[in-house]
Amino acid sequence: MTVDSKQSKMGAGVGFERIRRITGYLVGTMDKWNDAKKAEERDRVKHSIAK
Amino acid sequence: MIQMIIKRDGRVVPYDREKIALAVLRAMRASGEGTVADAARVAEAVESALESRCGAEPPQIEVIQDMVEQELMHHEFTNTAKSYIIYRATRTRARESRTTLMKTIDEIASKDAKLSDLKRENGNIDGDTAMGAMLQIGAAGAKAYNEAYLLRPEHAKAQREGDIHIHDFDFYALTTTCTQIDIIRLFKDGFSTGHGFLREPQSIQSYAALAAIAIQSNQNDQHGGQSIPNFDYGMALGVGKTFRSQFRKKLTDVVEDHLDEDNLADAVAEAIEKTEASFGPNALEPTEGFDASLASHLYDSLCIEADVAAHLVARARRRAEDQTERDTYQAMEGFVHNLNTMHSRAGAQTPFSSINYGTDTTPEGRMVIRNVLLALDAGLGHGETCIFPIHIFKVKEGVNYNEGDPNYDLFRLSCKVSAKRLFPNYVFLDSPYNLKYYVPGRPETEVATMGCRTRVLGNVYDPEQEISYSRGNLSFTSINLPRLALEAKGDEARFLKMLDDMLELVAQQLLDRFEIQAKKRVYNYPFLMGQGVWLDSDKLGPYDEVREVLKHGTLSIGFIGLAETLTALYGKNHAEDPAMQEKGLEIIGRMRKFCDDKSQAMKMNFTLLATPAEGLSGRFTRMDRQRYGRIPGVTDREYYTNSFHVPVWYPISAYEKIHIEAPYHALCNAGHISYVELDGDTAKNVEAFEQIVRCMHDEGIGYGSINHPVDRDPICGYVGVIGDTCPRCGRKEGEAVSEERMQELIKKFPQIKAFVGIE
């Protein structure tokens, strides 16, 4: 991952990385996910651990 | 009088009755009826029919073909008419695929991946790069060819219309899916990658390097991922070698220092050899009496007093152990880095790699497990979470599950790492359908999984070899279950009948594909078969057909959307109503029974797969919404729910979710996975994390993992949950941070190895 050094000093235009699991594999950024899987990720709810 | 005709592309060309006669004659030859004179007679009849229909207007080619069909029937050449119709349909299919193909290639070549869903069908390929796009264009071409020339018409129709999804369809004519690579067997006496021979490795560093190369090489022979089922057992041999050579070096050093002499390496080596001759090879935990014997040999050859010699041996042992631990960590770090950066398939992908470990209780094996977990925990150069390999921790009672088990500490460590890095995932050896194959002392009988979820263990073809090693999936095809339910309109009996038919159709298609795969020869798979990676392939010569040995693999029938299927049939899904859970288990159980029966009938391994479904989750849904409209709980989202999962949007506790999904793991013998989603704070609580893993174990889950958000700000290096604002540097996505603030952060967080762009 290389970022133009001047730009990164400022950070302008640099996004956050968001790592998620898809079909068992991790994907480093959701940019490359297809539309259906993006929608699925958006819909995921957290599961409580209360018994 | 007809003078001209209009071709499909709009060109107007002179009419020629002979061409019609020739086409008719060809169809007659194919069906074995009629003569040249008959063909001429039919052509004449076609001509007069055309004249009366079109007059002076030039007819379209399609109209002419309609007339040929009609006249063949009229002249009672029924079989010829049939073969003509089939011929026409095949040509149409080929023509259509050509047109679609050009459109597809145009999209791949000219559109940005951001705007093209097609280019993001597989999240691991960067369609914006030259090699990624080339791979996609090749795939598009292969798919068009395979559909037009290799599929039976009924299979092509089912695939095209979204009744089924034939996975890795671009590779239909070429290869098989995946393998669990037994690195112990592969490394013994060295192996060849096709570009050079690699000798048997002699240190943990070279063991780790060669493991990565093995994954890369095999990835080029198959279309799926690659996994190592025995990472701990395999790497442990490298640790042993490193320890032995380090011990020799360290002992030489301390002996030379003690005697203040040089060149004692040979004398020390001789003393060690003599000791090994009676006590077996030196190891991290040597046979009792080893060190005492070695000390006495040192006394014999170098006259070092007994108590001093014992002291030197102990010191050398300590130092060698420390050095081996450091070397092992570096080797594991290198391995993980390697798999995240190495390229395969013309550079378009990093290999899909997985490693299974956790059950080797030797000190060498434990050193491997500990250090690979620590390397995973540390992350990549800037602390990034590693995407590859998928780490899979094998959980087994008596080995690592309970307090007092020899590897319990490593299981605990794995929970801590997974709570931070999303890996390892967990595979459960105690679940009954895994336990029944388990033989203590034979690690090949331990279930191992591909990271995605594919597993192979039972073996109908060869019941003597019910093992994980050296086997894998050959191909799989998934059924659009919600489609069948929608088509049945709530009629259960009709649904089941259609399901049975669809299972039969898919089984036939898998057998057709097997026939293509089986005709390949060893030289078509230079690494997989040529180097003996696949079970029993070492018994074949380079020109032998791979048919028989391939039967160790599995043909898998998959499915998607059990939740939507139940909703379409009965109005509710299996999380909403216990009665629906019964229905769900009936449906999936029926599919499993079909696979078992088929396996027995064919003496091949048909297995049922809870399909990973990356590309098809949107494709099926889009098609079904177009066909049946927007149906709540069925087609009202952009995707179908994965396999037997409780829908991702359904609010439920982790324990209930595990409880509902576990019984399906037992049924889906080709592979299964269950996820639990935690929020960031819960994931940080390692106790809570471990409790969920334990719940999975106790409920009989086969393979599971816990998801939690892992975000990273590349500017300040923060890893954790980031909402709108980065909790460390305070910037929002895309915002800038001032130089002064950056300098403050660098001082405040010296442990951050490097800030991207400002090293």
Side-chain angles (χ1 to χ4, degrees):
Chain A
M1 180 150 320
T2 54
V3 180
D4 176 72
S5 72
K6 193 170 174 205
Q7 180 195 40
S8 70
K9 248 176 214 175
M10 311 301 290
V14 180
F16 300 137
E17 290 168 22
R18 298 184 189 277
I19 294 185
R20 299 293 182 268
R21 202 186 308 268
I22 175 171
T23 69
Y25 288 93
L26 294 185
V27 179
T29 150
M30 287 185 287
D31 295 352
K32 285 190 258 165
W33 287 34
N34 66 47
D35 296 344
K37 278 287 164 189
K38 273 186 189 162
E40 194 232 76
E41 202 280 334
R42 193 189 56 222
D43 290 353
R44 287 179 190 175
V45 296
K46 304 292 176 200
H47 302 123
S48 76
I49 54 164
K51 295 231 181 190
Chain B
M1 184 66 189
I2 301 170
Q3 304 241 320
M4 307 296 277
I5 66 157
I6 305 172
K7 295 194 72 169
R8 268 184 203 86
D9 57 10
R11 276 181 301 149
V12 182
V13 298
Y15 168 75
D16 181 359
R17 191 169 79 192
E18 282 310 303
K19 282 193 176 161
I20 298 177
L22 199 63
V24 170
L25 187 63
R26 272 203 210 109
M28 284 176 162
R29 294 256 155 89
S31 61
E33 57 182 19
T35 62
V36 177
D38 290 332
R41 207 149 45 81
V42 172
E44 215 169 304
V46 169
E47 186 177 281
S48 45
L50 280 173
E51 277 169 351
S52 64
R53 175 163 167 174
C54 306
E57 288 293 307
Q60 300 266 357
I61 193 93
E62 292 288 336
V63 175
I64 301 176
Q65 292 185 332
D66 288 346
M67 293 297 162
V68 172
E69 276 177 26
Q70 190 184 305
E71 290 307 320
L72 279 171
M73 298 296 283
H74 190 70
H75 288 78
E76 291 184 355
F77 292 111
T78 324
N79 289 335
T80 309
K82 264 188 209 153
S83 68
Y84 184 79
I85 289 167
I86 290 169
Y87 162 80
R88 232 181 124 182
T90 314
R91 290 293 302 263
T92 306
R93 194 139 63 94
R95 208 164 35 245
E96 278 170 359
S97 71
R98 272 202 299 278
T99 317
T100 320
L101 176 60
M102 291 309 138
K103 278 190 196 140
T104 307
I105 293 179
D106 187 48
E107 181 166 343
I108 294 167
S110 58
K111 254 197 189 174
D112 193 277
K114 259 187 223 133
L115 304 171
S116 166
D117 202 36
L118 169 80
K119 293 182 72 169
R120 284 178 279 116
E121 193 179 286
N122 180 335
N124 195 249
I125 295 178
D126 186 349
D128 285 332
T129 63
M131 290 305 152
M134 193 55 163
L135 199 71
Q136 289 175 337
I137 290 171
K143 281 180 186 171
Y145 166 79
N146 296 340
E147 187 185 331
Y149 294 96
L150 299 183
L151 289 187
R152 294 178 195 224
E154 63 267 33
H155 298 155
K157 182 168 180 285
Q159 159 90 345
R160 198 172 47 242
E161 295 181 357
D163 293 333
I164 62 172
H165 184 87
I166 301 173
H167 294 267
D168 300 294
F169 186 54
D170 41 347
F171 283 96
Y172 205 80
L174 304 175
T175 183
T176 56
T177 313
C178 56
T179 310
Q180 292 282 356
I181 306 169
D182 173 4
I183 44 171
I184 296 180
R185 203 158 57 91
L186 180 65
F187 288 0
K188 186 151 175 24
D189 302 326
F191 64 90
S192 168
T193 61
H195 305 286
F197 184 80
L198 298 160
R199 277 171 309 184
E200 181 170 328
Q202 294 302 328
S203 68
I204 183 58
Q205 288 95 333
S206 37
Y207 264 76
L210 261 54
I213 289 170
I215 285 176
Q216 184 183 35
S217 300
N218 216 40
Q219 171 101 359
N220 284 319
D221 275 5
Q222 296 194 286
H223 56 242
Q226 295 300 327
S227 173
I228 296 173
N230 51 351
F231 189 74
D232 42 1
Y233 297 100
M235 291 297 115
L237 299 178
V239 170
K241 286 179 181 178
T242 288
F243 176 75
R244 278 203 294 286
S245 90
Q246 285 299 337
F247 181 81
R248 205 169 52 239
K249 276 190 205 136
K250 302 292 181 194
L251 187 61
T252 305
D253 286 350
V254 292
V255 166
E256 287 178 348
D257 285 356
H258 173 71
L259 296 174
D260 197 16
E261 262 185 65
D262 289 332
N263 303 321
L264 296 179
D266 288 347
V268 168
E270 204 187 312
I272 294 174
E273 271 164 35
K274 281 183 183 160
T275 311
E276 288 189 330
S278 9
F279 287 85
N282 191 10
L284 281 170
E285 212 173 82
T287 327
E288 208 177 318
F290 186 100
D291 284 7
S293 161
L294 178 55
S296 81
H297 283 301
L298 287 177
Y299 172 78
D300 292 346
S301 58
L302 294 164
C303 297
I304 304 174
E305 281 171 45
D307 58 334
V308 177
H311 178 71
L312 294 180
V313 169
R315 171 173 286 185
R317 183 166 291 287
R318 231 170 23 243
R319 289 186 182 175
E321 232 180 80
D322 289 352
Q323 186 63 48
T324 307
E325 184 93 38
R326 280 196 297 276
D327 285 358
T328 305
Y329 179 77
Q330 276 183 3
M332 294 304 111
E333 194 182 40
F335 176 74
V336 168
H337 282 227
N338 223 340
L339 285 182
N340 280 282
T341 51
M342 85 179 353
H343 286 144
S344 77
R345 296 189 183 142
Q349 280 183 319
T350 21
F352 281 73
S353 53
S354 310
I355 52 175
N356 293 258
Y357 56 80
T359 47
D360 186 346
T361 54
T362 65
E364 287 82 2
R366 287 173 45 75
M367 196 177 270
V368 170
I369 300 168
R370 182 167 57 247
N371 283 291
V372 78
L373 283 169
L374 291 175
L376 171 63
D377 188 57
L380 298 177
H382 296 297
E384 304 100 314
T385 294
C386 312
I387 304 298
F388 291 113
I390 295 192
H391 294 238
I392 299 146
F393 195 94
K394 297 178 178 177
V395 178
K396 177 78 193 77
E397 279 172 28
V399 177
N400 54 29
Y401 185 61
N402 290 310
E403 208 159 352
D405 289 349
N407 281 359
Y408 180 64
D409 57 332
L410 297 173
F411 170 62
R412 297 269 298 179
L413 176 62
S414 79
C415 290
K416 187 171 155 255
V417 175
S418 192
K420 176 173 164 197
R421 294 295 189 184
L422 293 157
F423 291 147
N425 300 343
Y426 293 89
V427 66
F428 298 96
L429 276 55
D430 293 311
S431 292
Y433 46 90
N434 292 330
L435 193 62
K436 71 174 187 179
Y437 297 105
Y438 177 79
V439 183
R442 286 185 58 203
E444 68 273 23
T445 64
E446 296 173 3
V447 66
T449 180
M450 304 298 301
C452 66
R453 73 190 68 185
T454 310
R455 70 193 269 292
V456 170
L457 198 51
N459 194 347
V460 173
Y461 164 67
D462 182 358
E464 297 296 307
Q465 304 203 70
E466 306 211 285
I467 56 175
S468 295
Y469 291 11
S470 311
R471 305 172 60 204
N473 174 255
L474 302 178
S475 75
F476 60 109
T477 294
S478 294
I479 294 177
N480 183 352
L481 275 188
R483 159 79 57 88
L484 298 177
L486 288 165
E487 203 60 36
K489 298 187 173 55
D491 181 341
E492 186 181 277
R494 189 156 167 236
F495 167 78
L496 294 176
K497 170 77 177 65
M498 284 194 298
L499 177 59
D500 292 347
D501 292 346
M502 198 54 79
L503 286 163
E504 207 53 76
L505 178 129
V506 170
Q508 184 57 54
Q509 178 270 314
L510 291 171
L511 284 170
D512 287 355
R513 188 172 188 169
F514 175 79
E515 200 48 40
I516 298 173
Q517 296 165 330
K519 284 205 179 90
K520 304 275 175 196
R521 292 169 194 277
V522 168
Y523 63 77
N524 292 122
Y525 308 92
F527 195 76
L528 176 69
M529 300 290 177
Q531 293 301 309
V533 172
W534 187 264
L535 193 58
D536 287 342
S537 65
D538 49 354
K539 295 174 185 156
L540 301 177
Y543 298 100
D544 287 342
E545 219 181 56
V546 296
R547 177 181 304 274
E548 280 308 304
V549 300
L550 268 193
K551 290 182 183 170
H552 285 299
T554 56
L555 300 176
S556 302
I557 302 180
F559 63 95
I560 189 170
L562 178 65
E564 287 81 5
T565 303
L566 292 167
T567 306
L569 281 174
Y570 312 106
K572 280 180 184 165
N573 69 45
H574 51 318
E576 292 168 324
D577 184 346
M580 291 305 105
Q581 171 77 341
E582 290 304 309
K583 292 287 183 195
L585 289 170
E586 261 173 52
I587 293 170
I588 303 307
R590 189 183 186 96
M591 297 178 76
R592 170 60 186 276
K593 184 170 183 309
F594 176 88
C595 291
D596 286 353
D597 292 348
K598 200 47 119 182
S599 296
Q600 286 306 332
M602 306 296 300
K603 289 292 169 224
M604 287 171 75
N605 297 301
F606 281 85
T607 51
L608 181 63
L609 177 67
T611 301
E614 188 177 345
L616 77 161
S617 67
R619 180 173 165 257
F620 280 169
T621 319
R622 266 195 309 278
M623 292 172 105
D624 289 348
R625 193 187 303 156
Q626 227 162 41
R627 214 185 252 210
Y628 307 99
R630 205 180 188 85
I631 301 166
V634 186
T635 57
D636 58 344
R637 293 174 195 264
E638 288 165 69
Y639 53 88
Y640 280 149
T641 296
N642 195 288
S643 61
F644 52 72
H645 287 179
V646 170
V648 295
W649 46 264
Y650 186 77
I652 189 167
S653 80
Y655 299 102
E656 277 175 275
K657 182 172 195 287
I658 291 167
H659 181 72
I660 290 173
E661 292 182 0
Y664 297 97
H665 284 236
L667 294 172
C668 298
N669 55 343
H672 40 238
I673 190 168
S674 278
Y675 302 126
V676 166
E677 303 279 337
L678 293 187
D679 63 43
D681 292 332
T682 316
K684 278 187 201 142
N685 177 349
V686 178
E687 292 303 322
F689 190 98
E690 186 183 334
Q691 283 315 311
I692 294 174
V693 178
R694 300 190 81 83
C695 170
M696 287 180 173
H697 171 277
D698 297 350
E699 288 280 349
I701 289 275
Y703 179 43
S705 68
I706 297 170
N707 293 335
H708 48 90
V710 174
D711 302 333
R712 178 172 166 275
D713 183 352
I715 297 304
C716 69
Y718 178 81
V719 175
V721 182
I722 307 179
D724 289 341
T725 311
C726 173
R728 179 175 289 165
C729 67
R731 78 184 188 105
K732 287 196 167 63
E733 188 141 22
E735 267 182 8
V737 179
S738 73
E739 186 137 11
E740 298 77 53
R741 176 84 178 118
M742 284 312 305
Q743 291 306 331
E744 271 171 45
L745 288 167
I746 291 170
K747 278 193 201 122
K748 203 168 160 195
F749 299 101
Q751 76 274 24
I752 302 299
K753 286 181 208 148
F755 292 70
V756 170
I758 40 173
E759 47 266 70

